């Protein structure tokens, strides 16, 4: 992934009202596709801008986490509306949301890895030098994230892409009602999750890549259910709750797998190789246990 890729950031003369949080509760089955997009996007964008501003002066772990979630939600929303947005409008925006989420995630990944290494240390592993090195890597990641995520540039970018999207939707789908459209996109997201769950469930212990695919599909469906709940028939609270439970298990596994990959791919000049290997053995043991738990959840989901 090109972490230094740029998005053109002109400041348009007409601004999308990102500072005004719209209520999803005001959405109805007769709301138009175009107006629903702006109502759903505005609060997520406001959250992203708020977190980006806060992270320019501080480095709270939860702040990086919430910023990454905001960009992931925007990716899901753009995917949902992509049939009317078109490839030229949706694809570049989705790629930039992905890049910004990855930049924010660089610090978050070291927060998670550091927490796991502390757990290993408390369980008796002799990895003090690696724990200290991980803190240094986290500090470097903070500087990189703050350099790459300038709040003014993020706000300008979001203002630009959302204004483009709103303009495109108003011209491509006008006043078409949102309910049938929302149902169709939800069905597609559900089919994708079902297909990936069944593929992962073919094995007693699912492959890492298969579990990762289920996690991404489940996350997208959950975000879309949360977005579209006011305009589709029937409550989806139970489905969202079930998806959240599965995501928690998959997330615990992913934290281990991602931390293992991060430590394997990082050069620690002052840490003996034997110390790194000891941490990886501990992570491997934890990963096997969490993989089994995640596989059980996925099998239940596929049924």
């Amino acid at each position: 992934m090109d972490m230094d890729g740029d998005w053109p950031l002109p400041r348009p003369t007409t601004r999308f009202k990102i500072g005004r949080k719209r209520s999803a509760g005001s959405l109805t089955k007769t709301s138009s596709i175009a107006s629903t997009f702006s109502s759903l996007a505005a609060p997520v964008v406001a959250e992203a801008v708020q977190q980006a501003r806060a992270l320019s002066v501080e480095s709270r772990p939860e702040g990086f986490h919430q910023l990454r979630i905001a960009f992931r939600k925007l990716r899901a929303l753009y995917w949902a509306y992509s049939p009317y947005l078109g490839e030229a409008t949706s694809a570049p925006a989705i790629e930039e949301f992905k890049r910004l989420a990855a930049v924010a995630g660089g610090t978050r990944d070291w927060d998670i890895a550091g927490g796991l290494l502390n757990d290993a240390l408390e369980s008796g592993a002799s990895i003090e030098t690696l724990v200290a090195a991980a803190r240094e890597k986290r500090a470097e990641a903070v500087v990189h994230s703050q350099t790459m995520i300038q709040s003014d540039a993020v706000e300008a970018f979001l203002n630009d892409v959302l204004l483009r999207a709103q303009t495109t939707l108003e011209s491509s789908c006008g006043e078409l009602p949102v309910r049938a459209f929302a149902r169709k996109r939800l069905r597609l997201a559900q089919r994708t999750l079902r297909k990936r769950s069944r593929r992962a469930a073919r094995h007693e212990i699912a492959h890492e890549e298969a579990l990762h695919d289920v996690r991404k599909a489940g996350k997208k469906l959950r975000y879309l259910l949360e977005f579209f709940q006011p305009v589709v028939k029937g409550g989806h609270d139970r489905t969202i709750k079930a998806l959240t439970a599965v995501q928690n298990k998959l997330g615990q596994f992913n934290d281990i797998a991602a931390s293992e990959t991060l430590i394997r791919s990082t050069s620690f000049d002052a840490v003996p190789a034997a110390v790194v290997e000891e941490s990886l053995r501990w992570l491997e043991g934890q990963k096997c246990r969490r993989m089994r738990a995640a596989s059980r959840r996925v099998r239940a989901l596929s049924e």
Side-chain angles (χ1 to χ4, degrees), residues 10-17 156 159-160 163:
R11 290 190 176 275
T13 55
T14 304
R15 295 183 65 80
F16 187 91
K17 304 297 185 182
N159 177 74
D160 183 34
L163 181 60

Side-chain angles (χ1 to χ4, degrees), residues 37 124 209 234 275:
F37 172 83
E209 186 177 345
V275 172

Side-chain angles (χ1 to χ4, degrees), residues 94-258:
I94 288 173
E95 280 303 307
E96 184 67 358
F97 296 148
K98 183 177 181 180
R99 187 188 72 85
L100 289 168
V103 174
T107 297
R108 175 65 177 167
D109 289 344
W110 279 113
D111 285 327
I112 293 169
L116 289 169
L117 291 175
N118 276 319
D119 291 344
L121 187 63
E122 290 175 4
S123 71
S126 301
I127 58 170
E128 291 85 354
T129 53
L130 182 58
V131 170
R135 284 197 293 268
E136 294 176 3
K137 293 296 183 182
R138 198 268 182 186
E140 293 171 5
V142 168
V143 173
H144 177 72
S145 296
Q146 290 176 330
T147 300
M148 299 295 291
I149 301 176
Q150 298 290 328
S151 59
D152 288 345
V154 168
E155 184 173 0
F157 158 68
L158 291 174
N159 177 74
D160 183 34
V161 295
L162 292 179
L163 181 60
R164 291 186 199 178
Q166 188 63 40
T167 302
T168 301
L169 290 172
E170 288 171 357
S171 63
S172 63
C173 55
E175 294 300 312
L176 288 175
V178 72
R179 174 177 279 187
F181 168 76
R183 285 175 174 168
K184 184 176 181 180
R185 299 306 282 168
L186 284 171
R187 282 196 299 270
L188 182 56
Q190 288 169 332
R191 282 199 299 269
T192 300
L193 175 59
R194 189 179 302 115
K195 184 185 299 183
R196 292 184 178 184
S197 299
R198 289 174 177 170
R199 184 183 304 142
R202 290 173 187 166
H203 305 277
E204 183 67 21
I205 303 298
H207 297 303
E208 284 189 39
E209 186 177 345
L211 288 175
H212 186 53
D213 287 342
V214 173
R215 180 170 172 265
K216 289 190 294 184
K219 194 174 297 183
K220 178 189 286 185
L221 177 57
R222 195 185 86 210
Y223 291 154
L224 294 183
L225 284 170
E226 291 170 350
F227 278 132
F228 289 131
Q229 205 169 9
V231 300
V232 294
K233 243 183 180 179
H236 292 281
D237 291 338
R238 183 178 297 179
T239 303
I240 291 172
K241 186 176 180 180
L243 284 171
T244 301
V246 173
Q247 289 296 310
N248 287 340
K249 288 296 182 185
L250 289 170
Q252 290 170 7
F253 164 70
N254 185 72
D255 287 348
I256 290 281

Side-chain angles (χ1 to χ4, degrees), residues 18 21 41-53 63 66-67 70:
I18 63 175
K21 293 191 178 183
V44 184
V45 170
E47 172 70 12
V49 171
Q50 178 184 335
Q51 294 295 345
R53 287 173 180 163
Q66 292 303 320
L67 183 58

